[in-house]
Amino acid sequence: QVQLVQSGAEVKKPGASVKVSCKASGYTLTTYDIDWVRQAPGQGLEWMGWMDPNSGDTGYAQKFQGRVTITRNISISTVSMELSSLTSEDTAVYYCARVVLTIRRGVYTYYGMDVWGQGTTVTISS
Amino acid sequence: EIVLTQSPGTLSLSPGERATLSCRATQSVSNTYLAWYQQKAGQAPRLLIYGASNRATGIPDRFSGSGSGTDFTLTISRLEPEDFAVYYCQQYGTSLRTFGQGTKVEIK
């Protein structure tokens, strides 16, 4: 079945970087965008950025510009998100999600983030 | 950047009651690009509604979405015990997406 499987929990020190991976199975990675969303403890969902695995194009929320990098390795059907210069405010669960957007006769249809990874807990602690 | 504001922050209702959740955008959002998600504690979000009013696969018909422009609504016609959760609206943009801050539906 279609699923996204993320890498395991991480504990990092302030100032370090973390890289979280998201492996797709059950479909071809290059067919749909992958978005990254995070959720701090007790808080709501915060969108971080996206990648088109086919083209390698990316886009990032202004809040994370310069600190986040999304990459892909098509050969292993994996998209990764790296966040640098970590502070305690980056302690959160990080999710990847598949974004379904189709184009037919020039008309775009957004079908939502239909498959989510299980989440990766990243803890920043000195 | 389009900001989505959800109201109320918390909705206290009993099973069997009707829930009406609001999502208001700071600028017009195409119906096509508005989605709703449900999140239960300790779980990843689950897609409920896309295109403002289309139920995702496997979503019961007690969930419905409506609205256009800057005002959107998620309605749960009769709350079941498993519906008590947090709900988020989300808009899709070519280069930016945003979520609302969420509405918690709790048991009264």
Side-chain angles (χ1 to χ4, degrees), chain A:
Chain A
Q1 75 280 24
V2 174
Q3 59 179 345
L4 298 173
V5 178
Q6 299 182 220
S7 51
E10 301 266 12
V11 179
K12 295 291 183 181
K13 293 192 182 302
S17 297
V18 68
K19 191 170 187 177
V20 180
S21 67
C22 172
K23 182 175 177 62
S25 62
Y27 78 102
T28 302
L29 178 69
T30 53
T31 306
Y32 304 110
D33 287 2
I34 293 288
D35 279 22
W36 287 88
V37 177
R38 77 176 187 180
Q39 187 168 39
Q43 302 301 308
L45 301 174
E46 182 175 34
W47 182 79
M48 299 180 68
W50 64 273
M51 166 175 267
D52 175 352
N54 185 49
S55 64
D57 290 344
T58 56
Y60 304 118
Q62 188 167 8
K63 175 177 179 177
F64 300 102
Q65 287 275 2
R67 264 204 325 136
V68 67
T69 305
I70 300 174
T71 56
R72 94 272 202 206
N73 184 333
I74 296 173
S75 66
I76 56 171
S77 297
T78 297
V79 174
S80 298
M81 183 280 301
E82 184 169 20
L83 187 64
S84 63
S85 302
L86 296 168
T87 72
S88 58
E89 296 190 351
D90 295 315
T91 293
V93 177
Y94 290 76
Y95 294 101
C96 60
R98 186 177 83 164
V99 176
V100 180
L101 179 76
T102 64
I103 305 170
R104 184 179 179 188
R105 297 179 183 172
V107 177
Y108 288 81
T109 301
Y110 174 61
Y111 290 93
M113 300 180 187
D114 70 335
V115 179
W116 291 68
Q118 82 276 19
T120 297
T121 299
V122 176
T123 304
I124 313 305
S125 174
S126 56

